[in-house]
């Protein structure tokens, strides 16, 4: 296991969507450094794979997207994938909130080829056994206006981490900090406020 660079330091860790795997791995590798986790609409590749295998919608998305990529129609392919992964309003939300920084990077990735199995290359594994090792307080938040796929992520965290505090934020899409900044901030402030740093290990 690698060493945490700053001895004795702890932090509240919040991450959105695709950054979720990073914070979860951090909690596994450096449990003493993570005071709490705010998991916001996370992405869990093992759940993505499970859902995709049983989803007729996923098969339809691939049947549409792969020819578009082969034709060089990257923007159209991106829109199809984005709506599947983030919901029918996801693209519009991203366009209204350019600070998300989501659109151009994903288009570049599509331009260089996207794995047929969405959700990663399978090299990162995280499941119920890994989740059981997380003892820090966990906020498990999802958006009311998200896809069945993101609901499956939320339900997995709820099942895997029984002590997690589960929140469904109303009037919110995939980009929770942008589509409902006040609601997101209030939930985070309440969660972090109830788990102050000085109470660690008390």
């Amino acid at each position: 296991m690698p060493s945490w660079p700053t001895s004795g330091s702890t932090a509240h860790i919040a991450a959105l969507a695709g950054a979720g795997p990073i914070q979860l791995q951090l909690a596994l590798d450096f449990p003493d450094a993570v005071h709490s986790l705010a998991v916001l609409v996370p992405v869990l590749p093992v759940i993505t794979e499970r859902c995709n295998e049983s989803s007729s919608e996923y098969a339809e998305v691939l049947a549409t997207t792969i020819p578009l990529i082969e034709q060089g129609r990257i923007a159209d392919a991106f829109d199809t994938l984005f709506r599947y992964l983030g919901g029918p309003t996801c693209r519009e939300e991203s366009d209204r909130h350019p600070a998300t920084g989501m659109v151009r990077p994903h288009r570049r990735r599509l331009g260089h080829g996207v794995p047929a199995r969405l959700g990663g290359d399978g090299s990162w594994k995280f499941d119920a056994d890994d989740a059981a090792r997380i003892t820090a307080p966990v906020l498990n938040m999802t958006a009311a206006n998200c896809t069945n796929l993101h609901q499956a992520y939320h339900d997995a965290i709820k099942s895997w981490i029984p002590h997690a505090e589960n929140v469904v934020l109303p009037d919110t899409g995939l980009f929770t900090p942008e589509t409902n900044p006040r609601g997101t901030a209030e939930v985070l402030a309440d969660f972090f406020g109830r788990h102050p740093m000085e109470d660690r290990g008390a």
Side-chain angles (χ1 to χ4, degrees), residues 165-189:
E165 301 176 29
N166 305 294
V167 174
V168 178
L169 196 62
D171 303 318
T172 310
L174 175 61
F175 304 115
T176 51
E178 288 79 19
T179 56
N180 190 344
R182 179 180 292 276
T184 301
E186 288 175 349
V187 171
L188 289 174

Side-chain angles (χ1 to χ4, degrees), residues 15-181:
L16 172 70
I22 298 173
Q23 71 173 162
L24 292 170
Q25 190 63 51
L26 181 68
L28 295 180
D29 290 346
F30 306 106
D32 292 336
V34 175
H35 184 77
S36 71
L37 291 175
V39 186
L40 313 180
V41 201
V43 172
L44 301 171
V46 66
I47 300 299
T48 306
E49 182 173 338
R50 192 177 303 165
C51 290
N52 288 345
E53 287 176 346
S54 61
S55 172
S56 59
E57 182 184 5
Y58 174 67
E60 293 172 2
V61 166
L62 286 187
T64 301
T65 302
I66 291 176
L68 291 173
I69 294 174
E70 292 172 344
Q71 296 165 22
R73 297 169 58 188
I74 304 304
D76 292 336
F78 169 83
D79 286 346
T80 302
L81 285 174
F82 213 35
R83 292 179 193 282
Y84 170 71
L85 293 171
T89 64
C90 187
R91 174 60 193 279
E92 287 75 13
E93 291 168 5
S94 178
D95 287 345
R96 286 199 304 272
H97 305 284
T100 60
M102 289 287 288
V103 176
R104 283 190 294 272
H106 280 284
R107 280 182 172 161
R108 286 198 297 271
R109 287 175 58 194
L110 279 174
H112 290 91
V114 170
R117 302 177 71 80
L118 302 179
D121 61 4
S123 60
W124 185 76
K125 301 294 185 183
F126 182 91
D127 56 20
D129 291 337
D130 297 305
R133 294 163 49 198
I134 295 178
T135 59
V138 175
L139 171 67
N140 177 32
M141 187 172 79
T142 195
N145 302 328
C146 66
T147 66
N148 291 336
L149 187 59
H150 284 89
Q151 184 61 48
Y153 300 146
H154 181 73
D155 291 342
I157 295 292
K158 182 190 294 187
S159 172
W160 294 348
I161 307 179
H163 68 271
E165 301 176 29
N166 305 294
V167 174
V168 178
L169 196 62
D171 303 318
T172 310
L174 175 61
F175 304 115
T176 51
E178 288 79 19
T179 56
N180 190 344

